[in-house]
Amino acid sequence: MITVALPKGALLDDSIRLFQAVGLDFSAFLDKSNRQLQISDPTETAKALLVRAQDVPVYVEYGQAQLGVVGYDVLREKTPQVAQLVDLGFGGCRMSVAVKESSPYRSSLKLPLYGRVASKYVQCAREYFDALDLPVEIVPLYGSVELGPITGMAEAIVDLVSTGRTLKENGLVEIDVLYHSTARLIAHPLSYRLNADGIQTVIEQVRSLVLARV
Amino acid sequence: MVYQPPAGARDLLPLDVAQKRWIEDRLQQVFHQWGYHRIITSTLERLDTLMAGGAIQRSAVLQLQGLDEEDLGLRPELTASIARTVVTRIVDATYPLRLYYNANIFRRAQETSHTRQQEFYQAGVELLGSGGLLADAETLLLLMDCLQSLGLSQWSIVLGEAGLTRSLLSVFPSTIQSTVRQSIATLDRITLETLPMTESLRDRALLLLDLRGTPAEVLQKVSSLDLNPTQQAALDNLKSLIDLLQNTPDTGPQTPDSLVLDLSLIQTLDYYTGIVFEVVSDTANGRQVLGQGGRYDQLLGLYHPQGETAPGVGFALQIEQLHQAIALTNQSPQHIPTSDWLVVPASPQAATAAIAHAQKLRATSDQLRVELDLGGRTPAEIHDYAQHRQIAAIAWISPDGNVKVESVKLE
């Protein structure tokens, strides 16, 4: 039986709708009274795991889930060994550098040497500033990164921005974009090579659905 | 203070060793049956030896400083060491050389990997000096024979042709070729779809990415491409190889699914020039790679003082992965072997007689396990001990050499 890892949070609704459209119904996860972390679709042809977005590629890399939906931002940060098969088009956002509105720094390159940058995306932030050859100190945080510049702990943040509302409401402005991200369909490489449990059919259905939407 | 092992180190306790030996003994027997001889090479190599083939990155090697500032590393695989040994130490090698190994290897844990394990065990073969179809077939059939000898039935072999795939990649402009290769190796379709290139090249890239399936299907698809004579020859060779494998009734692929032809099976960096393959187990615990191998016809030349090369093909099986796959079949030992006899000197004066009796028992069969009671225990404690260790027979020895045999009712 195919197992699909689905991310909690922003991508869940779209992911469930996507699989519903190819005949796999995991909408039980949307039911507020649901506490189950693993469910089968009503036709008993596939299972779904409800996991944190960062954990989706882990389940897929180990092969406990053959397929998964996850944002490119997570793939970029964790570089898991998974097959990246379809750009699903939803969950669009960008990884940006942001500073306080009152900050004198208006581009990443202008940030002070050895300045502090707070981020949940430590790997990605480090790569970016290394590529700019700008030595900064990356401060790892697990949430509410916006507080870094507000409290004065950091000059800037590197974080995911979708509408920009959170930044605005916290008095921050974007000064640079590292990359754009969307949700992706990923697969366990060995299962993909062996077409285990006929996952190729599901992948093709998802692909044609996404192509048809464009 | 408590002395901890280094992160990623593993100790094997007697039961682990018994199970590991169970696997290794079976593999060794198959290797012997096919006429292979064991080779033991140095655990330590010079770093440049390990990296000469181009497939090993410095960051993956556990390094040590030798005398004279020589850069040394613990071997991350055996093929480089064997290639070095064969071309520099076996001067008048009569080819073909059939060699096998059973050894530990070391890999430095990478930041992105989930495991911190650094020491692993591998058993494998290298068949050197023959570039033909039969050598490829022998290697794959030997691999399948190994799996059968271990009682594994749920496996697939994913077979590729690195030379052919590399050649099919040569149409891509050099500016994007390595990205295309890497995207195919890591199954990154999205990069192939977005990389700037002409539509016909993109079609070729996407075709290569999904050039896998049953051998007949894939061969059909490849032959529809516009092939040059070298590519055609590689394809013909592949076709003959698959015929040979599929027509070997007992050893060959067990089910139609056990042989998958996959021309996207390449590494980002490697020294393979012909067939490449992975053997994948399909168990309740999921799918994992049990071993891999391929043909390397240029590697030996890198180690030869005059650059003379000789063809080679081989594979390595990962003992840990085999261990996990076999654990599910319950075939390997579930307990460490118990002793057959406990020999007890009835008094301190009986020690000489007891030692002599134990030796006499051991001499009757080399399968017999005989242990000596080391004193300081009451008869009741000795009974408890025999019960606990599942020793079925106790020999009580008196100073005059009298033997009283007692069989223990094991619970």
Side-chain angles (χ1 to χ4, degrees), chain A residues 32-47:
Chain A
K32 290 223 164 22
S33 63
N34 173 66
R35 289 288 175 274
Q36 276 183 300
L37 299 174
Q38 176 178 311
I39 56 168
S40 295
D41 95 294
T43 62
E44 299 283 331
T45 48
K47 272 191 305 194

Side-chain angles (χ1 to χ4, degrees), chain A residues 58 61-62 64 66 78-79 82-87 123 184 188-194 196-197 207, chain B residues 111-112 114 156 158 185-190 193 210 212 260 262 264-265 278 280 285 287-289:
Chain A
V58 180
E61 193 173 357
Y62 275 103
Q64 260 54 46
Q66 288 83 45
K78 306 269 178 189
T79 57
V82 294
Q84 300 189 31
L85 299 176
V86 185
D87 184 339
Q123 206 63 29
R184 296 190 163 187
H188 176 232
L190 281 178
S191 300
Y192 183 66
R193 286 191 190 283
L194 298 174
D197 307 311
R207 195 194 316 286
Chain B
E111 251 178 65
T112 53
H114 301 290
S156 305
V158 183
T186 58
L187 301 172
D188 181 355
R189 187 183 170 105
I190 295 172
E193 283 173 344
D210 280 329
R212 81 177 64 76
V260 175
D262 183 354
S264 75
L265 184 71
E278 282 182 354
V280 180
N285 284 0
R287 292 171 194 88
Q288 57 176 347
V289 175

